[in-house]
């Protein structure tokens, strides 16, 4: 291929990415305004909360329980080899989980389970022309389909993150007591948690819970063809949502460190 | 003419589908658009309601140009032009009457009970009164198609677009759908534009037909004109002969 062809191909890809970015921005804006439009069917938000929350809670509880235990055992072992003072194990663990691990790991799991579900449902509606039928019925698909999922993700994202913190901290405390003989009153100490940690954790949860349904809904709305198109949309939703979570984590943590010095 | 397509061009990426298509549809006509698969029949009718946008050309409806309208300005057009999709496209989470009531509530602002009452009347018109509480998934393809027609009629449209209404139906249900399309024109004065391959439908209810070939309206005329047509390409399509001058995508 000649240099001109390479440049043309690169330009074409850049233009395609620009168009996709603008479509995503439009869908995001319409979905957010759709939250106030109340166009969705009666009870849809509650149904979505059940799908996002109840159906994810066991998955998240098991993952966070094991993660909490493994992290305490690993970090406790390291501390034991260096100083032997485990008094800060629980407080630092809690601080780290509130600010970083609980929102991010919970969001990554939601991106996998909920994001894939949203993309598959919206994508199959797209390829079977149900989205077109909605438009002809005078309904904006973003208000009808994505807005209730956005509300559900925002609400249940918080609930699941709190559950994740409680389970991981509890499992960590039990394993610290079982493996290192650490007194639970020493481990279950929240004195190191600052309002900054809670604020950063909350901001991350809000941003992740907004990004997942919007990106997944966008992937579903962009589905083309038949079942293969739905499969592609589902894969793109999981990859796109997961990537967005990690990128937002980096940006929010970076801003927190730069502006507030990490709350220290 | 009620609807006019003027020199329409449409491409998807590098694939040119419509290449200067021009045709017109008169009031109260049952107008069939025919042609081989992938020739752009469904694409053509989707332009009328803004589900797709043309690359070049003009579309006029009732004397006004509509191809350049924004999504918001297409809303009033969509109240006047309904569409019955190939796959019925009923919403699985709703009963039949709720499906039919939906556009009444959203487009006409009816109260839920009023919309449901009107939906029951419309379902009776398409002989689906015994299934108003049924979920779409519990019904046959033919029943779903009839319910989809009822939903489209809810808006009391001036024009109804049918995308392959008889595809996948048994002959009895297919003829019932044909009869329904003809009744809409004769009794309610609805203009119907039907995309179809079903020759029985075409030659039993069409007022006029347009045969799309190589992105253009290759031949337009009445069904009698098509029956007597001696053009080799049109004859091959009508006879279904696999050998002949008709070029089809992928062959």
């Amino acid at each position: 291929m000649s240099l001109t062809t390479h440049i043309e191909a690169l330009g074409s890809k850049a233009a395609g990415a620009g168009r996709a970015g603008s479509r995503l921005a439009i869908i995001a804006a319409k979905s957010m305004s759709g939250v106030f439009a109340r166009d969705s069917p009666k009870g849809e938000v509650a149904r979505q909360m059940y799908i996002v929350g109840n159906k994810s809670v066991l998955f998240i509880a098991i993952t966070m329980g094991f993660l909490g235990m493994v992290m305490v055992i690993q970090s406790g072992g390291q501390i034991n080899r260096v100083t032997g003072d485990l008094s800060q194990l629980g407080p630092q663990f809690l601080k780290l989980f509130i600010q970083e691990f609980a929102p991010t790991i919970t969001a990554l799991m939601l991106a996998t389970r909920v994001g894939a579900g949203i993309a598959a449902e919206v994508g199959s509606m797209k390829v079977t022309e149900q989205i077109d039928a909605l438009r002809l019925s005078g309904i904006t698909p973003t208000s009808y389909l994505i807005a209730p999922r956005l509300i559900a993700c925002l609400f249940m994202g918080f609930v699941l993150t709190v559950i994740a913190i409680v389970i991981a901290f509890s499992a960590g405390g039990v394993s610290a007591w079982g493996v290192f003989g650490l007194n639970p009153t020493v481990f279950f100490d929240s004195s190191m948690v600052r309002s900054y940690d809670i604020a950063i954790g909350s901001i991350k949860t809000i941003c992740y819970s907004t990004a997942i349904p919007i990106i997944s809904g966008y992937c579903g709305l962009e589905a083309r063809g038949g079942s293969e198109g739905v499969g592609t949309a589902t894969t793109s939703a999981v990859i796109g949502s997961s990537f967005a979570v990690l990128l937002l984590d980096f940006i929010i943590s970076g801003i927190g460190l730069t502006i507030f010095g990490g709350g220290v | 003419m009620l609807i006019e397509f003027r020199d329409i061009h449409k491409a998807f990426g590098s694939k040119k589908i419509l290449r200067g298509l021009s045709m017109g549809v008169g009031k109260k006509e049952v107008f069939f658009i025919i042609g081989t698969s992938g020739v752009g029949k469904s694409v053509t009718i989707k332009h009328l309601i803004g589900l797709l946008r043309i690359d070049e050309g003009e579309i006029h409806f009732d004397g006004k140009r509509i191809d350049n309208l924004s999504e918001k300005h297409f809303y009033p057009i969509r109240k006047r032009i309904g569409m019955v999709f190939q796959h019925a496209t009923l919403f699985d989470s709703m009963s039949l009457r709720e499906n039919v009531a939906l556009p009444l509530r959203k487009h006409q602002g009816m109260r839920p009970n009023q919309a449901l009452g009107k939906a029951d009347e419309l379902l009776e018109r398409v002989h689906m009164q015994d299934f108003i509480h049924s979920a779409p998934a519990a019904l046959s393809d033919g029943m779903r198609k009839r319910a989809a027609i009822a939903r489209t009629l809810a808006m009391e449209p001036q024009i109804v677009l049918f995308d392959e209404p008889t595809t996948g139906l048994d002959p009895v249900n297919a003829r019932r759908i044909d009869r329904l399309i003809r009744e809409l024109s004769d009794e309610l004065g609805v203009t119907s534009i039907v995309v179809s391959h079903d020759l029985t439908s075409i030659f039993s209810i069409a007022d006029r037909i347009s045969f799309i070939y190589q992105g253009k309206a290759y031949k337009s005329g009445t069904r009698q004109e098509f029956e007597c047509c001696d053009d080799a390409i049109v004859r091959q399509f009508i006879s279904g002969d696999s050998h002949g001058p008709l070029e089809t995508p992928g062959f």
Side-chain angles (χ1 to χ4, degrees), chain A residues 30 38-41 44 47 125 127-140 144, chain B residues 46 49-51 71 75 78 81 83 85-87 89-92 94 102-103 106-107 151 163:
Chain A
K30 283 185 174 178
R38 303 176 70 84
D39 250 354
S40 57
E44 182 63 8
R47 197 175 76 87
M125 286 183 78
V127 300
T128 56
E129 296 177 314
Q130 287 184 54
I131 301 285
D132 287 341
L134 276 179
R135 288 168 68 190
L136 287 187
S137 299
I139 294 163
T140 312
Y144 191 83
Chain B
K46 283 182 180 178
I49 39 177
L51 295 179
E71 177 75 10
Y75 272 36
R78 288 173 187 162
I81 307 178
M83 181 163 178
F85 291 88
Q86 189 176 349
H87 301 289
T89 63
L90 297 171
F91 306 116
D92 295 335
M94 299 177 188
L102 186 66
K106 297 293 175 183
H107 263 312
R151 185 178 63 184
D163 192 0

Side-chain angles (χ1 to χ4, degrees), chain A residues 87-177:
Chain A
S87 62
Q88 284 301 303
L89 183 61
Q92 292 296 344
F93 176 91
L94 183 60
K95 184 181 171 75
L96 195 62
F97 255 77
I98 288 173
Q99 194 192 109
E100 176 61 44
F101 279 98
T104 307
I105 303 284
T106 303
L108 284 172
M109 286 190 285
L110 284 182
T112 317
R113 214 196 71 76
V114 177
I118 292 172
E121 194 175 349
V122 176
S124 55
M125 286 183 78
K126 177 73 194 304
V127 300
T128 56
E129 296 177 314
Q130 287 184 54
I131 301 285
D132 287 341
L134 276 179
R135 288 168 68 190
L136 287 187
S137 299
I139 294 163
T140 312
T142 43
S143 305
Y144 191 83
L145 295 170
I146 303 179
R149 286 160 176 80
L150 176 59
I151 298 169
C153 280
L154 273 169
F155 186 78
M156 296 315 291
F158 261 106
V159 173
L160 291 169
T161 303
V162 171
I163 290 171
I165 293 166
V166 170
I167 288 176
F169 196 42
S170 307
V174 170
S175 54
W177 175 65

Side-chain angles (χ1 to χ4, degrees), chain B:
Chain B
M1 285 288 170
L2 182 64
I3 294 165
E4 277 185 82
F5 293 89
R6 294 180 189 167
D7 196 25
I8 302 299
H9 289 255
K10 177 69 182 178
F12 293 101
S14 59
K15 195 177 175 188
K16 290 180 180 174
I17 304 293
L18 301 178
R19 287 172 277 179
L21 179 133
S22 296
M23 62 184 182
V25 182
K27 271 184 186 170
K28 299 181 187 178
E29 270 188 341
V30 176
F31 185 89
F32 271 71
I33 299 175
I34 62 173
T36 53
S37 298
V39 81
K41 305 182 294 294
S42 302
V43 167
T44 302
I45 59 169
K46 283 182 180 178
H47 287 126
L48 260 179
I49 39 177
L51 295 179
L52 290 172
R53 299 300 177 130
I54 57 173
D55 297 334
E56 282 177 55
E58 290 180 11
I59 301 172
H60 292 255
F61 168 49
D62 213 4
K64 288 177 190 159
R65 189 173 172 183
I66 59 166
D67 58 273
N68 51 2
L69 295 179
S70 66
E71 177 75 10
K72 188 180 167 188
H73 288 99
F74 252 109
Y75 272 36
I77 302 291
R78 288 173 187 162
K79 287 183 185 176
R80 296 174 66 189
I81 307 178
M83 181 163 178
V84 179
F85 291 88
Q86 189 176 349
H87 301 289
T89 63
L90 297 171
F91 306 116
D92 295 335
S93 56
M94 299 177 188
S95 67
L96 284 198
R97 66 198 301 248
E98 286 168 340
N99 263 284
V100 178
L102 186 66
L104 292 168
R105 286 172 49 210
K106 297 293 175 183
H107 263 312
Q108 296 189 350
M110 276 190 189
R111 287 165 183 255
N113 281 340
Q114 195 188 358
L116 288 170
K118 180 82 189 283
D120 293 347
E121 284 173 28
L122 289 160
L123 284 164
E124 194 175 341
R125 178 182 281 279
V126 295
H127 313 293
M128 290 293 291
Q129 63 272 24
D130 296 334
F131 303 95
I132 57 171
H133 297 291
S134 303
L139 301 172
S140 70
D141 286 344
M143 287 170 159
R144 281 203 292 269
K145 281 259 167 78
R146 279 191 274 160
I149 292 172
R151 185 178 63 184
T152 304
L153 293 179
M155 297 311 305
E156 297 177 1
Q158 198 177 345
I159 298 166
V160 179
L161 314 175
F162 293 89
D163 192 0
E164 303 197 18
T166 55
T167 300
L169 300 185
D170 62 79
V172 174
N173 271 310
R175 299 298 74 83
R176 280 180 182 151
I177 297 288
D178 287 347
R179 201 176 64 205
L180 204 56
I181 294 170
R182 193 66 251 179
E183 282 172 8
L184 291 180
S185 173
D186 296 343
E187 292 172 17
L188 301 176
V190 169
T191 304
S192 298
I193 302 178
V194 189
V195 165
S196 183
H197 297 114
D198 185 342
L199 293 171
T200 311
S201 292
I202 295 163
F203 289 113
S204 59
I205 61 167
D207 288 323
R208 285 199 314 124
I209 303 163
S210 191
F211 174 63
I212 300 184
Y213 182 58
Q214 295 184 335
K216 294 182 179 178
Y218 183 80
K219 178 173 174 57
S220 297
T222 62
R223 63 175 189 254
Q224 291 80 10
E225 284 170 341
F226 266 78
E227 279 168 338
C228 313
C229 179
D230 53 7
D231 183 279
I233 290 172
V234 176
R235 290 265 28 113
Q236 190 193 342
F237 179 80
I238 292 171
S239 66
D241 194 343
S242 60
H243 298 287
L246 184 68
E247 291 174 16
T248 52
F251 283 89

